[in-house]
Amino acid sequence: MSTPQFWSTPLRYLRWASHERPAIFYSLIIGSMGPVALVGLPPLRRALGDVDPETIPMSYPIPAGPRTFPKGYDDE
Amino acid sequence: MGVPFEALLPFGIIIGSFTVGGAGLWAVRKWDNEGKMPRWNKDKWDRQMMERDLRITGTKRGQSSNHEAPKGFELSNPWKIEKRIF
Amino acid sequence: MSNIISIIQGLLVIVPALISVAFVTISERKVMASMQRRVGPNAVGYYGLLQAFADALKLLLKEYVAPTQANIILFFLGPVITLIFALLGYLVIPYAPGTFISDHRLGIFFMLAVSAIATYGILLAGWSANSKYAFLGSLRSTAQLISYELILSSVLLLVILLTGSLNVITIVESQKAVSLLLPLLPLFIVFFIGSIAETNRAPFDLAEAESELVSGFMTEHSASIFVFFFLAEYASIILICILNSILFFGGYLSIIVFSIISLLDLSREDTLFHVLISIISSSPINLAVKTSILVFVFIWVRASFPRIRFDQLMSVCWLVLLPITIAYVILLPCVVSGLLINPVNISLL
């Protein structure tokens, strides 16, 4: 039996690859689970009741009251 | 038939020697650190604070809650100006 | 005074390491003998326990022969480099919390770098002997070591990702809840195979096929400089077993004792029993037991598997172990960020 081609018979090729090149085949599967997990896991996590933490503040909050800017100290 | 006991005797000696060595190292480290456990994963801030504590209390791991620095503290700073290369 | 303390600390690490190197050789011979239904060495000392010292004495008393055309300086420097850098790895090993010689914040990188430099000793020794066999042996050995180091460092990367620190003690302490063997079991298998190959052990001992060929890069080395290579080889075996147990089995922590503490809710009591159990829960004996079990598995592997061909050795590394490792290098960060798992320690600068 000759090596099946991927483009003409993809399923047969996958079966052949899983038998003959198991390490690379299953590595590709495990590796491609990564981006899927990146997209699929957060909705699953929220559906199971996990709440996203608040974003970490990157600066101080602007105070609410009126702000006075000092004048007269600059070079005019 | 499994592995006979006489093949496992060297493993006992390995375990014993590592245990004795590790316990000895633990004792020496603890004695060197004045009875406290040695600190680990110190970053630059930790090292600076430990050095300041050394200057305040005079011992390696001593700490002081006194808010007045002792006399001579302001002069014992070992920081030196960097030497000019050229 | 501090110099004396440093010397004592160094001796307390080096002497047990060298004693256990001697007894690893004897245990290897005894265990392999019992697996092959032989008696093994049993003449020197009780149950042949002093056989290693007799061998060392024989080697030290032998006349050494250096090839006439050899580069004598490099010829003697090679074994010394290999031994020193194999022993330098013990510098950052924690035996208990706070019990170490040197507390590098980048301890794991230090271990990796030191074991990489030890390759130079092999290269120098093989080249300087001015012999075809030694040279070819050193090239093979170096190719093998460099290839498998890639796998070890990639697996290390994932451990660092999960623990969030490069410090060895921090990696151990972050396994208090669960040892990294559980989340990283496939990577532990890869790492273990890689560490067998990294120490030039059977079934990957192509460079020095002890049982058939002359011994690879150390063909021309005899007598006392051969002892250096011998010590370096077994010191690196113990070191890499310690590294395995630190990364995946929780080092000096005893998971069983921790679970007893949490089951019996002993954490608040202050009796002698509690003090005793808290000492046992993180003490050097745990590390020693885990390391000995791994050394036993090394010997077991050597007694069980036939040696593979050199092209098989390389293709196992590049076409089997490396794809698996890279797949996990892609998968694990995605899972970590998808589940918002924080690393245990956020101390990476």
Side-chain angles (χ1 to χ4, degrees), chain C residues 121 233 315:
Chain C
E233 198 181 316
S315 62

Side-chain angles (χ1 to χ4, degrees), chain C residues 15-205:
Chain C
V15 170
L18 290 178
I19 288 175
S20 39
V21 162
F23 283 101
V24 163
T25 61
I26 181 68
S27 69
E28 173 168 31
R29 292 176 67 174
K30 286 299 259 189
V31 170
M32 278 184 66
S34 67
M35 284 176 182
Q36 295 160 354
R37 300 220 157 198
R38 292 185 283 121
V39 183
N42 62 351
V44 191
Y46 293 102
Y47 302 109
L49 277 182
L50 298 177
Q51 182 70 40
F53 297 101
D55 285 345
L57 203 63
K58 184 207 77 174
L59 282 171
L60 288 175
L61 292 177
K62 266 168 87 170
E63 179 194 8
Y64 80 87
V65 183
T68 46
Q69 296 298 317
N71 187 335
I72 291 293
I73 295 173
L74 292 183
F75 188 72
F76 287 108
L77 197 62
V80 176
I81 287 177
T82 316
L83 178 60
I84 285 178
F85 284 102
L87 287 179
L88 266 185
Y90 286 86
L91 205 65
V92 289
I93 289 173
Y95 288 93
T99 304
F100 42 77
I101 292 183
S102 162
D103 175 40
H104 283 268
R105 297 201 67 226
L106 307 177
I108 279 289
F109 272 6
F110 176 81
M111 258 172 145
L112 209 65
V114 157
S115 72
I117 294 175
T119 315
Y120 279 102
I122 292 170
L123 203 60
L124 287 181
W127 178 78
S128 63
N130 199 19
S131 153
K132 285 189 200 72
Y133 305 106
F135 184 58
L136 288 174
S138 80
L139 284 186
R140 282 180 159 206
S141 194
T142 313
Q144 178 180 345
L145 291 188
I146 289 174
S147 308
Y148 278 91
E149 207 162 79
L150 189 65
I151 289 163
L152 296 196
S153 43
S154 319
V155 175
L156 221 53
L157 209 66
L158 289 172
V159 173
I160 291 165
L161 171 85
L162 282 191
T163 54
S165 177
L166 292 166
N167 186 275
V168 185
I169 296 192
T170 316
I171 288 175
V172 172
E173 290 283 329
S174 53
Q175 298 180 42
K176 260 186 178 169
V178 57
S179 64
L180 282 179
L181 182 73
L182 241 57
L184 298 181
L185 181 65
L187 288 174
F188 165 68
I189 297 167
V190 168
F191 193 85
F192 193 73
I193 295 171
S195 51
I196 290 174
E198 181 73 12
T199 47
N200 268 337
R201 293 280 298 175
F204 301 108
D205 60 341

Side-chain angles (χ1 to χ4, degrees), chain A residues 29-40:
Chain A
I29 287 180
I30 292 171
S32 57
M33 269 158 64
V36 174
L38 199 60
V39 177

Side-chain angles (χ1 to χ4, degrees), chain B residues 8-85:
Chain B
L8 298 178
L9 283 179
F11 287 111
I13 294 171
I14 293 168
I15 292 172
S17 71
F18 263 111
T19 308
V20 169
L25 189 65
W26 182 80
V28 169
R29 293 287 301 178
K30 197 154 182 165
W31 178 73
D32 192 29
N33 281 281
E34 299 163 2
K36 300 178 180 177
M37 283 311 288
R39 296 182 63 176
W40 38 273
N41 207 8
K42 301 187 289 278
D43 57 8
K44 194 169 183 182
W45 171 260
D46 294 332
R47 281 196 291 270
Q48 276 182 8
M49 289 298 106
M50 286 173 81
E51 193 229 314
R52 193 196 63 170
D53 283 340
L54 174 69
R55 280 163 56 209
I56 287 176
T57 60
T59 59
K60 191 178 171 186
R61 290 295 301 274
Q63 285 177 329
S64 168
S65 59
N66 193 357
H67 53 80
E68 296 272 326
K71 226 168 171 56
F73 173 73
E74 63 274 15
L75 297 177
S76 65
N77 193 335
W79 283 15
K80 298 222 166 44
I81 298 172
E82 281 182 27
K83 269 184 191 156
R84 295 293 297 267
I85 296 172

